[in-house]
Amino acid sequence: MAYAFGRRYARVYTERPDDAPTRTGRGAWVLRLVDRVRYRDRPTVVYLALVRTDALRTLVPPFPVPAVPDFTALPLARREDLRTWSLHLLATHVLVGGATRSGKGSVLWSLVRVLGDGIASGLMRLWVIDPKGGMEFALGRPMFARFACKSFEAMADLLDEAVTVLRERQTRLAGTVRVHTPTEVDPLVVVVIDEMAALTAYLQDVDLRKRIAGSLGLLLSQGAGVGVLVVAALQDPRKEVLPFRDLFPTRIALGLTEASQVDMVLGDGARNRGALADQMPRWAKGVGYVILDGTPDPMRVRFSYVSDDDIRDMARRCPAPADAADILAQVGRETAAEPVRLPLPRKPSGPLLPDALRNLLDQPPPPPAVRPTRRPGRPERRRPARPGLPHQPSPRHGGPAHPHRPDHPREAEGGAVMTERTESAVRLVILLAIGTMAGAAAFTHVHDLSVAHGQPHWIGWANAVAVELMTIYLGLELRARRRAGRPVGLVASLLVAFALLSLAAQVAEAEPSVWGWIVAAVPSLAFLALVKVVLSNAPATPPPAPIPAPASARPSVDLREAPEQVTTEPEPDHRPTSPAVLAPVPATVPAPAAVLPPRGVIQPNRPHVVGIIR
């Protein structure tokens, strides 16, 4: 309508009839029936206001500061209809949502300004948290009873003290009143928080963030009735950033970046009712939408602009009372830097193992076992060197524990296994993709051909299954008969027939051209080729086991890496026999080829040897 008349805005207003008078007397019931029709809620006059220029384009000067602030009607902004919009601060919490440079400071300083005389008289106390290091509120610090701007510990302490005031008032006022009345003895406490997301979402200290969230939850859910109020501003109104967004009864939406954020701040359906906060022009700093009492329609307002000179003058005229016990009580803490916290020890990351198994793995390796002493006079036995290779002593004879052999097959075993597994996985994925798509296309062609020639749908699918799967079955049967040496003529003929039938079904529904026939036959050919390739991958025949050589042809005993023989002295024998004398074997003479006795058998001619270890 506004565009039709060439105007900027169009507003429609209606007159609501007055309330019906109270009727008494004998004929009151007749008059009440007449008043029900006379004062019914039906608009008789409709006003159409076409706004040619934007009434909120000019800056709004600061409003006069009342000597005694009315906490139920604090003048803060100018409405679209040039009236004054007042904030009902008593027994409520206020949330201001707006993007960067949208004018959130205008809302907060307009509120601080109209509360100036109440601050000077002690009727209320301002506790301010400025996570931006004091860039916003440091100019007005003489007006604040509590102020924290640099240390997050101090901010958490401030909120904890507000919870202490809340608990004390609950204990004192329980059973007396339901809503706190501000007085100079028991003043109203307003906690102002700028950039609230820095405390609830962006703070890196998890324990401190949980502590702040717990205090804010108590203040927002229980503080309105006892005179401990919260006024907060933030840029991102999502639940992930501000989990207790719904605990703010009063909300103000300045310029926002997304259309969905309008409903997050003002409630569901606010944007559809006219709150276009996501379409604010650049000049509209301090312009926002509020919900008026008694109507769901949002109203566009512009908050007053408070300059730096106005803030300095206000801080000089309206300081907090000097005799207040809490005036600037945190000067030492608010100017101190954030304390340095030592990093907490982190548990070593790794696989999740039971404690018993982890303790077993963490234990140091056991010391090497002590080898028995060699008998005196017994020569050291060494393994003979291989022909053509230099002799390399074993680890127990002074050689290296793990010789570096780059060409050792075990070093490349892990990489080969991983490569083979990866290739197998890729082949399986490609196989499944081709088989699924080609089979689906081939089945669909046969089904569509059957349906096109008058067959029901289920018979069409039956024909598709019979034609396509019969080809696969005949291929398996042909393979089995060849292995068994049986004749394969009939099976081969049927295989060719069904393969041609499948190709004919694919081509029948194709475009009558060479490429049309080729493209239509590709799914069936691909399906058959895939089945043929899979069935032709027969497992490799394992090599035959080697035939053991006869005992007479066995080579001489190889003593490489053989453990040292352990000798024990037998118990003394009292029979008159002469002991056997062992002749030492030279180290350079190789052992003769002989058949060794079974392991663990005592030799009759060598009584001191328990057994021979091979």
Side-chain angles (χ1 to χ4, degrees), residues 349-435:
S349 59
L352 300 178
L353 301 176
D355 294 338
L357 182 56
R358 183 178 299 171
N359 296 335
L360 181 62
L361 295 177
D362 293 341
Q363 292 179 358
V370 179
R371 299 177 56 193
T373 308
R374 185 180 295 107
R375 287 175 61 98
R378 185 178 180 86
E380 182 180 359
R381 180 174 297 173
R382 297 178 180 272
R383 62 180 180 181
R386 295 183 180 179
L389 293 177
H391 174 71
Q392 185 175 7
S394 62
R396 72 183 173 184
H397 293 122
H402 298 282
H404 178 66
R405 292 184 294 175
D407 56 346
H408 198 276
R410 291 187 178 179
E411 296 185 4
E413 181 179 355
V417 172
M418 292 301 297
T419 304
E420 184 178 355
R421 290 181 178 177
T422 305
E423 292 179 356
S424 300
V426 173
R427 290 170 57 192
L428 178 60
V429 172
I430 297 176
L431 174 67
L432 293 177
I434 297 177

Side-chain angles (χ1 to χ4, degrees), residues 227-259:
V228 182
L229 311 179
V230 177
V231 178
L234 81 166
Q235 301 182 26
D236 191 353
R238 292 178 300 170
K239 278 285 188 178
E240 295 83 0
V241 177
L242 188 62
F244 24 78
R245 182 184 66 207
D246 296 334
L247 298 180
F248 288 91
T250 304
R251 305 180 189 179
I252 301 171
L254 301 178
L256 298 170
T257 57
E258 298 179 4

